[in-house]
Amino acid sequence: MLLRNGRSQSSVGSGFLVGTGNLVLTNYHVVSQMALDPDVYIGEYVDTDGKSGPVELLAVDVLHDLAVVRVNRNGTGFFQVPDKPVKLVQGQYLYSLGNPLDLGFAISEGSYNGIVTRSFYEQLIFTGPINSGMSGGPSVTAAGVVAGVNVSKRLDGELVSFLVPVKYAQELLRQASAQPHPPKNFNPLIGQQLLAHQRALIDRLLAEPLSMRAMGPYQVPVRESQQLRCWGRSNFRAEAEYTLDSVSCAMEVAVYVSDTQQTGHVSMTHQVIRSSSLHPLQFAVLASSRFRVDRIGAGRDTRLTRPACAEMFVHTATLPVRAVTCVRAYRKFAGLYNFTLLAASTDDPHANLQSRLDLAGVSYENGMRATRAFLSALGRSRGR
């Protein structure tokens, strides 16, 4: 990507010509700047022979991180996107092609090692190096069949990389081939895709009642699934004035929109603070200091409206609760909001439950639906 003003390089990625046509498959995140800010950024390709030309963005799929662009040259026919999903065997050799670190064309050898089970959308595990700049390049079998598109790697692991299965590219290529002209404004299209994602996300989250977990004298809702994982911790020390136990559940992936914005994400946190030594007034000060309504994101975030918050005192089936709900609307994508619910119990001078739910990129109706389900599930344990 280049800045229109001055044509300075802004980012670099890879792509590949499909068949003998002039359509190039790449990642959405490689061309996201051009999709979101076409007045600021333009695309340019440089092929393996050093020839360059303009790039025209035709179609994007933000949910699977794919895009199709058109260039002013044709492919050799080597890279074919198969009509049917490629059958792979664990340990099978794959070869990822791209432009690592903008150093030039390179081929990485690795192997297929299954499907990421904790991803909302299917991704392939590639045990091999995918460096920055290789995103959007193809990963092929030894027979030259395109199996996936390079997309990312784990920064905390070694040779743990990921591919978008090539099956997701077929529909996008059909769309790009069928449309006579590219969209002038990609924001409505991206917004529609994000709305479709949040519908599936919230439906899956609330498909069955949230699981209940005991935390001291409280019952808290959690959701452990293929998408959400939960972790717990405690500051317990025998000489401590108070104990703080917490459990956090969060999705490990989100939908990439831009370098500064990811969405389509759910997380929930519960903290139980208890003390038998602090005076009730001291304990109230401690609990109040941890109930931070101002920790809902930067107020000056230009992608979102300022938070609109409402506070109320409610009584769930077994617990009186102070609840604050804050909502922020997306400026570029109509109908999408970030929801934050903060809740704290109010019935015990020596124990306090504080819970938080964050929903990124949901409709207003689904945001209210999920926050109500979460809030109403908070309660006291039986046998108090």
Side-chain angles (χ1 to χ4, degrees):
M1 290 298 108
L2 303 173
L3 282 170
R4 282 187 182 274
N5 184 11
R7 297 182 67 81
S8 298
Q9 184 169 307
S10 174
S11 63
V12 64
S14 300
F16 58 100
L17 280 156
V18 178
T20 57
N22 61 354
L23 300 185
V24 172
L25 193 59
T26 184
N27 287 137
Y28 162 75
H29 77 257
V30 171
V31 297
S32 61
Q33 292 169 312
M34 191 165 54
L36 298 171
D37 297 302
D39 295 333
V40 180
Y41 298 97
I42 58 174
E44 182 177 280
Y45 78 87
V46 179
D47 66 17
T48 52
D49 295 326
K51 298 177 182 177
S52 62
V55 166
E56 183 182 22
L57 181 59
L58 297 182
V60 301
D61 177 352
V62 296
L63 306 186
H64 299 104
D65 202 347
L66 291 173
V68 176
V69 302
R70 183 160 54 200
V71 297
N72 58 2
R73 59 153 293 184
N74 286 18
T76 62
F78 181 81
F79 295 115
Q80 299 286 345
V81 172
D83 293 330
K84 297 180 179 178
V86 180
K87 291 185 178 179
L88 300 170
V89 179
Q90 190 163 19
Q92 177 178 342
Y93 281 117
L94 292 176
Y95 303 86
S96 285
L97 289 64
N99 178 24
L101 307 176
D102 201 19
L103 296 173
F105 175 69
I107 302 173
S108 294
E109 180 180 329
S111 59
Y112 164 74
N113 266 301
I115 296 171
V116 182
T117 57
R118 292 197 295 271
S119 177
F120 199 83
Y121 299 105
E122 188 175 299
Q123 287 192 336
L124 311 182
I125 300 173
F126 174 66
T127 305
I130 292 180
N131 288 297
S132 176
M134 294 180 70
S135 291
S139 186
V140 302
T141 65
V145 177
V146 178
V149 179
N150 306 333
V151 67
S152 62
K153 68 175 181 179
R154 284 289 292 255
L155 298 177
D156 57 346
E158 294 184 3
L159 299 181
V160 181
S161 306
F162 305 100
L163 311 173
V164 180
V166 71
K167 66 180 182 181
Y168 294 128
Q170 294 158 352
E171 177 57 28
L172 195 63
L173 284 166
R174 278 193 285 271
Q175 290 178 22
S177 301
Q179 63 185 19
H181 305 289
K184 292 183 179 179
N185 182 359
F186 278 89
N187 288 339
L189 175 63
I190 294 172
Q192 291 171 15
Q193 294 177 2
L194 295 176
L195 280 168
H197 170 76
Q198 64 86 33
R199 280 193 289 273
L201 176 72
I202 299 300
D203 284 349
R204 193 177 299 183
L205 178 71
L206 302 180
E208 55 188 42
L210 297 167
S211 303
M212 301 306 297
R213 179 172 295 185
M215 290 188 69
Y218 302 101
Q219 289 280 337
V220 299
V222 297
R223 171 68 78 223
E224 282 191 281
S225 66
Q226 293 284 25
Q227 281 71 51
L228 279 88
R229 299 189 76 191
C230 299
W231 303 91
R233 62 186 306 174
S234 174
N235 77 331
F236 175 78
R237 296 194 308 273
E239 71 278 10
E241 289 187 321
Y242 68 92
T243 60
L244 191 156
D245 299 323
S246 66
V247 59
S248 299
C249 305
M251 295 176 66
E252 294 190 347
V253 295
V255 178
Y256 176 96
V257 176
S258 70
D259 285 344
T260 58
Q261 187 173 28
Q262 296 196 22
T263 186
H265 185 268
V266 173
S267 66
M268 54 186 73
T269 301
H270 303 282
Q271 295 183 340
V272 172
I273 312 166
R274 287 181 290 178
S275 176
S276 58
S277 59
L278 287 176
H279 184 275
L281 183 59
Q282 292 174 306
F283 186 80
V285 171
L286 169 67
S288 297
S289 69
R290 303 192 64 85
F291 193 80
R292 297 289 300 274
V293 181
D294 56 338
R295 293 177 180 170
I296 59 170
R300 294 181 179 178
D301 191 332
T302 57
R303 303 160 304 176
L304 305 167
T305 60
R306 296 185 67 81
C309 299
E311 180 176 9
M312 56 185 175
F313 289 85
V314 298
H315 205 299
T316 69
T318 57
L319 189 68
V321 173
R322 174 192 177 193
V324 178
T325 305
C326 296
V327 182
R328 307 181 73 175
Y330 284 55
R331 294 186 186 278
K332 283 194 172 184
F333 308 118
L336 286 170
Y337 302 84
N338 282 356
F339 272 70
T340 299
L341 169 67
L342 301 171
S345 62
T346 61
D347 67 332
D348 193 324
H350 299 288
N352 184 243
L353 167 66
Q354 297 194 5
S355 299
R356 174 170 179 154
L357 174 67
D358 285 289
L359 306 166
V362 296
S363 69
Y364 191 83
E365 292 74 17
N366 274 335
M368 292 299 295
R369 184 179 157 211
T371 52
R372 285 175 183 143
F374 182 85
L375 182 60
S376 63
L378 298 173
R380 273 279 182 184
S381 296
R382 294 177 181 175
R384 175 193 178 192

